[in-house]
Amino acid sequence: MEDQMMIKATGLCKSYGRKPVLKDVNFTINKGDIYGLVGKNGAGKTTIMRILTGLQEPTGGFIDFGYDRRKLGSAGTLIEMPSIYANQSAEDNLKFQYLNLGLKFDNSIKEILELVGLQNTGSKKAGKFSLGMRQRLGIAIAMVGDPEVLVLDEPINGLDPQGIIEVRDLLLKLNREKGITIVISSHILSELAKLATRFGFIDDGHMIRECTTYEIEHAGEKLMIIKCDKLQEYNSLLNARGFTSELISNPDKVTIHGEVDIIDIAMIARDAQIKITDLRTVETNLEEFYVDVVGGSQK
Amino acid sequence: MIQLLKFEFYRLLKSKISWIILAVMTVLPVLAVIVISLFIKLGNEDRITPDVAKFMTWLVISYFYKWVPMVTALFIPIFTGRNFRDGFIRNMITAGHTRFQIFASAVISKAVYTALLCTGYVLGGILSLLVSPVPVNLNGGEMLLRALTLMLSAVATSVLYTTLVMVIRNKAVPIILSVLFVMSFTVCGLLASSFSYNHKMVRQYSKIWTKTARENGFASEFDEDGYFNVGWYAGHPLFVFTNASMENEFMFTSSSLVSDINGATSYSDEISRNNFNSVSSYLFSKNAGIVGNEAIKKHVDGAYVSVERAELEYNMKSVVWIMIYFGAGYAIFRKKNIF
């Protein structure tokens, strides 16, 4: 089945005065994607998000939307910082967003508050919330009205580890259970890697690469790390059998580069009565891939 | 648009400050009534004729025009500015509302709130007069039409304040500009109403002044271009293009109250634009006030106009200014990257 396009940017350009910020950016986001925008500060991520949400107009190019953008609240947003009234409670802030979208107050206000863990804040003013609580309230506001798309710029900024896990689980739940398409950016690449299914790498206003999680994981050379009791002997045996292995110290281990059949190397160890205590495969992670892609683009 | 209007009114409803201001504005005329009652106690109660009662009723209920633009000059920029400071205006944009809807709903809601403040003041004034020694005389309801003219002008100022905060965004600047505007309004009001004569009227006044002076044996002539008589060059355009003179024409001061008790001022069907005579000549000429009001009325076209005509002029100017503030404000708001 063909993917349903939700957002398609073609030749997107944006300049502030004479300074170009986006240069001929193209990307497609399909229904159900969690699309991670990756790039350093000033690369153009936020500008893309602001254009997607209507906060700014592009100076060139156009965007096709696969959903009815005129419908109020079709896209929930959290851009740069939560847009909330500091002198109102969490519940009142949600009520304002309900009115903003032309919705009637109902039980879903409490459900959303529970979902983001702010159900017990009572009449406490949002201005007195911690950064994490404010962030969660921002996400709650973005969720009002069952949007088809969530555009979230740094949504886990300022959250504690528990908060990060909760928000991540929440976004995954929204994506999987409600089929909400999510466009997200974050400086915490390890977190983004756990969430996103597709990535767009931006550097200096250019979309330099689009790829899936699978492509990232299988982009680089695989590495197997083995810990055992006779490291030197095992390394020699592996080399003798034609494996590209290396003895690494501190912590002591043997590494094997490239695609390896685990049964083969296990048999070698068993025959030599070497006891393997740990064995794991390391795939290319988002951080390494990012450095690779962005570094390559800078060269 | 309806959603955003509901949103704005709900915000006003939830704001304690907006309720406090409305309550204060409703109670404030009580002070005016107390002052008037004291004057009456000090004077002679027998003098409260229907005309005096009419004048005093107007004195009490028209006084909102002094207060409402002042209060809203502070309240509107702070209240509306919070949308920018807290960033909620971005939720409006990203929700899919057009900039016109956002701008219009902000302006309309503040205009309605301003009208409500004026109404609260008028109602408070009438209610407090009912329990005072001064009988309420609304001149058969005509007085309320005059109050509506003042209210429309106050609404025009609220449109200006809202527009300023919508296009400038920075919280302090719109507050400063709004307060400066309302302060300058009194000064401009003096200038506009004192020099409300146009060139033709000045020449007519000059002729009758010189003629009267000669008849009374004075050697001097009215010097149209004299230092103190050229204020109309600046005052008349102000008078023509703004409602600045309204305060002096439509309203009366506490000194008017004393004059009225003495029978010198009254709630007239005519509006005098004769401050040129009283201010320019009286203050600055040693031969002040030699031309009587009757002579001015006879020889200077437009020195006195009917209240209906003055109301029409002021209402038209208010509407035009609302359109100018709104149009210019929206033109900037639409283009500006302020989110």
Side-chain angles (χ1 to χ4, degrees), chain A residues 36-284:
Chain A
L37 276 171
V38 185
K40 59 188 173 188
N41 284 341
K45 303 188 299 288
T46 300
T47 304
I48 287 177
M49 293 199 153
R50 289 169 71 87
I51 290 172
L52 290 182
T53 53
L55 287 170
Q56 281 181 339
E57 293 292 322
T59 42
F62 56 89
I63 303 176
D64 289 320
F65 292 93
Y67 58 96
D68 185 3
R69 202 168 170 238
R70 288 166 302 176
K71 187 188 152 209
L72 288 181
S74 52
T77 61
L78 171 60
I79 305 291
E80 291 171 321
M81 57 189 161
S83 302
I84 51 179
Y85 287 122
N87 64 341
Q88 302 289 343
S89 67
E91 188 178 339
D92 284 338
N93 267 293
L94 281 185
K95 282 182 177 174
F96 281 120
Q97 182 65 355
Y98 269 67
L99 284 171
N100 185 28
L101 301 181
L103 302 170
K104 286 183 178 166
F105 303 153
D106 56 25
N107 280 339
S108 58
I109 292 178
K110 283 186 180 161
E111 285 168 18
I112 292 175
L113 284 174
E114 276 177 25
L115 208 58
V116 296
L118 294 175
Q119 70 276 22
N120 296 322
T121 50
S123 59
K124 188 177 179 181
K125 304 278 183 270
K128 292 183 178 171
F129 284 6
S130 67
L131 193 58
M133 288 166 83
R134 288 168 68 93
Q135 209 69 16
R136 280 186 293 193
L137 181 54
I139 293 172
I141 285 175
M143 283 163 51
V144 172
D146 286 331
E148 291 189 65
V149 176
L150 278 178
V151 181
L152 308 170
D153 189 14
E154 303 285 352
I156 52 174
N157 224 5
L159 293 179
D160 55 27
Q162 184 59 31
I164 290 175
I165 293 167
E166 282 170 13
V167 168
R168 186 208 309 149
D169 290 347
L170 172 67
L171 295 177
L172 286 170
K173 191 177 165 188
L174 289 170
N175 175 254
R176 284 168 191 166
E177 292 180 8
K178 296 193 173 185
I180 296 177
T181 306
I182 299 173
V183 186
I184 186 170
S185 76
S186 174
H187 281 103
I188 308 170
L189 295 182
S190 55
E191 277 306 317
L192 205 56
K194 287 173 189 165
L195 262 174
T197 53
R198 290 183 65 225
F199 296 89
F201 291 85
I202 306 160
D203 189 49
D204 194 25
H206 292 282
M207 179 66 80
I208 50 176
R209 180 91 182 257
E210 272 190 291
C211 59
T212 63
T213 311
Y214 182 85
E215 284 173 291
I216 290 175
E217 285 171 354
H218 296 84
E221 187 188 40
K222 276 195 175 178
L223 186 73
M224 186 164 284
I225 298 172
I226 304 162
K227 287 184 182 171
C228 55
D229 57 353
K230 298 169 189 168
L231 283 167
Q232 207 157 11
E233 186 187 341
Y234 189 44
N235 184 41
S236 304
L237 283 169
L238 287 168
N239 276 322
R241 295 283 188 96
F243 290 101
T244 322
S245 66
E246 256 184 298
L247 184 63
I248 310 276
S249 55
N250 195 25
D252 296 339
K253 62 195 169 214
V254 170
T255 59
I256 310 172
H257 295 268
E259 287 286 338
V260 176
D261 189 334
I262 295 174
I263 295 171
D264 286 350
I265 58 168
M267 293 288 278
I268 294 167
R270 195 193 66 176
D271 292 347
Q273 293 187 329
I274 295 168
K275 190 181 173 189
I276 293 177
T277 52
D278 186 23
L279 184 150
R280 60 197 162 93
T281 306
V282 179
E283 291 168 333
T284 312

Side-chain angles (χ1 to χ4, degrees), chain A residues 50 53-56 71-73 75 77 79-88 92 95-97 99-102 141, chain B residues 3-4 6-7 10-11 14-16 82-83 85-97 99 101 337-339:
Chain A
R50 289 169 71 87
T53 53
L55 287 170
Q56 281 181 339
K71 187 188 152 209
L72 288 181
T77 61
I79 305 291
E80 291 171 321
M81 57 189 161
S83 302
I84 51 179
Y85 287 122
N87 64 341
Q88 302 289 343
D92 284 338
K95 282 182 177 174
F96 281 120
Q97 182 65 355
L99 284 171
N100 185 28
L101 301 181
I141 285 175
Chain B
Q3 290 97 333
L4 281 179
K6 280 185 188 171
F7 173 92
Y10 184 72
R11 262 195 83 204
K14 291 279 289 178
S15 160
K16 282 179 191 158
R82 191 168 263 283
N83 273 341
R85 201 182 75 183
D86 290 348
F88 208 93
I89 199 155
R90 292 190 301 178
N91 290 341
M92 297 178 189
I93 290 281
T94 59
H97 298 292
R99 292 201 180 196
Q101 289 169 335
N337 173 33
I338 48 179
F339 310 111

